[in-house]
Amino acid sequence: DADVTQTPRNRITKTGKRIMLECSQTKGHDRMYWYRQDPGLGLRLIYYSFDVKDINKGEISDGYSVSRQAQAKFSLSLESAIPNQTALYFCATSPIGGYNEQFFGPGTRLTVL
Amino acid sequence: DAKTTQPPSMDCAEGRAANLPCNHSTISGNEYVYWYRQIHSQGPQYIIHGLKNNETNEMASLIITEDRKSSTLILPHATLRDTAVYYCIVRAIFGNEKLTFGTGTRLTIIP
C-alpha cells in the first residue's frame, strides 16, 4: 500500500461548488503539506501542519482551508471553487527530526468548470 | 532560499551514468542541497540531499563542489524509468517549510 494516499485522484466540478481533497499517510510523520502545481510550473505551498493543533498558511492560501483531523489525515477544502483553481494538488509528509525531506502523494487532478 | 540554475533538458543512453548539474552560487552556509524528481505528473520523489560532503544512497550520488556553489546528481546506471524532470533545491532545514521547485531538468533516457 502507498505510504501517502490522496482521494479523489481526479475530480471535475463546477464554479461555486465546495470541494474537499483528502490525504492520508501511514508513514507516521508529524508534518503534512498541501501544494498545487499548474501546467509547466513548479509546486506552490498552500498550507502546512506540524501536528494536529498546528496549521500554517503557505504562499497561496487564499480560497483554501484545511483540517488536520488526526496525525495521519490532512484535508484541503475549496469553499467555493473557481476556474483558476484548476490544477494538480499534492499532499506531502515530512518527519520531525529528519532533514526535512518531503514525501509526496500521487496527486489529485482538479478541474473547475 | 538560494536560487538554482539547471539545464532545461538532457539525454542519456540507457545503462550509462546520468550526470545532472546544478548551479547554486548564492547558497548560504546553513543551506542544504536537495534533489527531487517528478515522473510525468506523479508526485515528486525525494532522491537525496547533502550539505558539503558527497553523499550516496540506493538511488543516486550527490557530488558538491568544495566551494558549494554547484553540485551534480549522478544516476549510476540509468534506466528508462529514470526519465523524469529533476529538481535541484537549496534550502535551510529549519525556518522555511516551502520547497521551491524551479523548472528543473527534463532527463530523457534513450534506449
Side-chain angles (χ1 to χ4, degrees):
Chain A
D1 289 339
D3 295 322
V4 183
T5 58
Q6 294 183 232
T7 56
R9 296 294 311 280
N10 289 282
R11 182 69 185 269
I12 299 174
T13 190
K14 295 182 179 180
T15 298
K17 294 292 186 180
R18 184 178 187 275
I19 296 297
M20 178 180 288
L21 309 183
E22 299 185 345
C23 177
S24 295
Q25 53 115 347
T26 59
K27 299 182 77 69
H29 292 169
D30 289 301
R31 299 180 179 186
M32 297 187 74
Y33 308 79
W34 276 105
Y35 290 87
R36 68 174 278 175
Q37 185 175 32
D38 296 282
L41 301 180
L43 277 69
R44 291 185 290 170
L45 182 62
I46 305 172
Y47 271 95
Y48 62 99
S49 168
F50 285 176
D51 63 38
V52 174
K53 298 181 181 179
D54 179 81
I55 302 291
N56 303 279
K57 293 183 176 181
E59 58 184 317
I60 56 162
S61 59
D62 288 348
Y64 301 94
S65 63
V66 291
S67 173
R68 185 80 183 269
Q69 302 95 322
Q71 187 208 37
K73 296 184 182 298
F74 193 36
S75 299
L76 176 73
S77 294
L78 289 67
E79 297 301 326
S80 179
I82 56 177
N84 76 359
Q85 292 178 313
T86 293
L88 194 52
Y89 289 84
F90 292 105
C91 173
T93 72
S94 180
I96 287 180
Y99 288 90
N100 219 350
E101 60 272 40
Q102 296 185 13
F103 299 89
F104 286 79
T108 294
R109 186 172 297 279
L110 176 66
T111 302
V112 183
L113 301 176
Chain B
D1 292 340
K3 179 181 172 60
T4 61
T5 303
Q6 300 177 250
S9 64
M10 294 180 63
D11 293 339
C12 178
E14 187 178 17
R16 303 295 295 270
N19 296 272
L20 292 93
C22 180
N23 287 318
H24 32 78
S25 59
T26 60
I27 190 170
S28 299
N30 66 339
E31 290 181 318
Y32 282 68
V33 180
Y34 295 79
W35 282 84
Y36 286 76
R37 72 181 182 183
Q38 188 173 24
I39 300 173
H40 189 56
S41 297
Q42 295 180 21
Q45 179 185 22
Y46 163 79
I47 301 173
I48 199 168
H49 74 275
L51 182 63
K52 55 183 178 180
N53 298 318
N54 297 339
E55 302 288 345
T56 295
N57 63 19
E58 65 278 5
M59 290 184 66
S61 294
L62 174 60
I63 308 298
I64 302 174
T65 58
E66 190 170 348
D67 62 8
R68 302 209 323 123
K69 293 184 177 182
S70 65
S71 60
T72 300
L73 178 74
I74 301 172
L75 308 178
H77 305 288
T79 71
L80 299 178
R81 290 177 296 178
D82 292 321
T83 293
V85 179
Y86 287 76
Y87 297 96
C88 170
I89 299 167
V90 173
R91 59 184 289 232
I93 293 179
F94 303 110
N96 182 3
E97 298 306 313
K98 182 178 65 175
L99 275 178
T100 301
F101 286 75
T103 53
T105 296
R106 182 172 298 278
L107 176 67
T108 302
I109 306 302
I110 308 298

